[in-house]
Structure formats: structure tokens, C-alpha cells
């Protein structure tokens, strides 16, 4: 699903990347959407983690501690899960939101729902954080 549905949709929104990590660069900032998943033989559950960090800070940390990228550390960064950005009635976040794909079942509607969540909630939050951190 990531390769056939999510990756093209995220690229259409301005992200670059592959696998389970997609980035958007700004002035001195990088925004990232990472897919966090758990799998069984029958199904895969996943959520999205959004992060914004300074590009120079991130690059310098990777030179000193290259294992940080693999471990997903985001020292000094803003980070939220997509469900915490999705508000019910413009006031209360949904909270810990996970989607599930069952083996052998169609997933186009799930992919469309995920991309809508990114477009309506994730992308505006990433852009706002990137803009705020660039001014700071």
C-alpha cells in the first residue's frame, strides 16, 4: 500500500522519500512523516508520526551519532502523531489513531483516508511548525 498508494499521494503533496519516511524541506527546517507499523500474518496496523527539526541540527547530530536516524531520535524537534493533530469539533484531538490493513483485502479507501488526514491536518501542522521554528 505504501508504494502503490501512499508514496505517490505524499509526493503529490510535496514530500520526497521512500519506504516509511517522507520529507519536506523548508528554510532551515525539515518536516518528516514516518509510518510506524506493527504487523501480524493477517493484518498490518499503522499510524503516522510527524516531525519538524532544524536541518543543520539534524545533519550535525547525524555526523556525530549516525545511529540516531535508524533509532528515530528527534532531539530538539517538534513531534506529534497524526491523531493528536486531528480535532473533533475543532477542540478535542482524536488521540492515538491507527489504521488497519487486512491481508488480501482492498486498501484504496484506507489510503485515501490517510492522505486526506495528511492533507487536512498533518501538512498544515508541519508547515506551521516549520514557519514558527524558522522565525525563532
Amino acid at each position: 500500500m505504501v508504494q502503490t498508494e501512499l508514496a505517490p499521494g505524499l509526493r503529490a503533496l510535496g514530500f520526497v522519500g521512500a519506504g516509511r519516511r517522507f520529507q519536506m524541506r523548508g528554510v532551515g527546517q525539515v518536516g518528516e512523516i514516518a509510518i510506524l507499523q506493527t504487523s501480524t500474518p493477517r493484518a498490518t496496523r499503522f499510524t503516522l508520526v510527524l516531525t519538524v527539526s532544524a536541518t543543520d541540527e539534524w545533519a550535525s547530530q547525524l555526523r556525530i551519532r549516525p545511529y540516531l536516524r535508524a533509532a528515530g531520535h528527534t532531539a530538539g524537534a517538534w513531534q506529534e502523531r497524526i491523531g493528536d493533530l486531528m480535532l473533533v469539533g475543532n477542540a478535542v484531538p482524536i488521540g492515538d489513531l491507527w489504521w488497519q490493513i487486512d491481508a488480501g483485502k482492498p486498501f484504496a479507501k484506507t489510503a485515501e483516508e490517510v492522505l486526506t488526514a495528511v492533507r487536512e491536518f498533518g501538512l498544515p501542522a508541519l508547515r506551521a511548525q516549520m514557519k514558527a521554528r524558522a522565525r525563532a
Side-chain angles (χ1 to χ4, degrees), residues 13-113:
L13 293 173
F15 291 90
V16 296
R20 292 189 298 224
R21 293 191 179 276
F22 296 85
Q23 295 182 341
M24 171 180 286
R25 297 205 179 263
V27 177
Q29 305 294 319
V30 62
E32 182 176 76
I33 294 181
I35 301 168
L36 178 64
Q37 72 180 41
T38 62
S39 297
T40 68
R42 293 181 176 211
T44 297
R45 292 183 67 230
F46 68 96
T47 190
L48 304 178
V49 179
L50 292 82
T51 307
V52 173
S53 58
T55 53
D56 57 345
E57 173 185 318
W58 184 242
S60 68
Q61 286 298 313
L62 286 178
R63 281 192 298 278
I64 298 166
R65 298 176 186 92
Y67 54 84
L68 289 180
R69 181 183 302 275
H73 289 272
T74 56
W78 169 85
Q79 186 175 69
E80 290 288 343
R81 288 196 182 183
I82 190 74
D84 292 329
L85 300 172
M86 299 173 70
L87 303 179
V88 177
N90 292 326
V92 180
I94 289 174
D96 198 20
L97 173 65
W98 291 75
W99 288 275
Q100 180 168 314
I101 303 295
D102 296 317
K105 302 279 173 100
F107 50 75
K109 287 188 182 200
T110 302
E112 182 179 326
E113 182 180 319

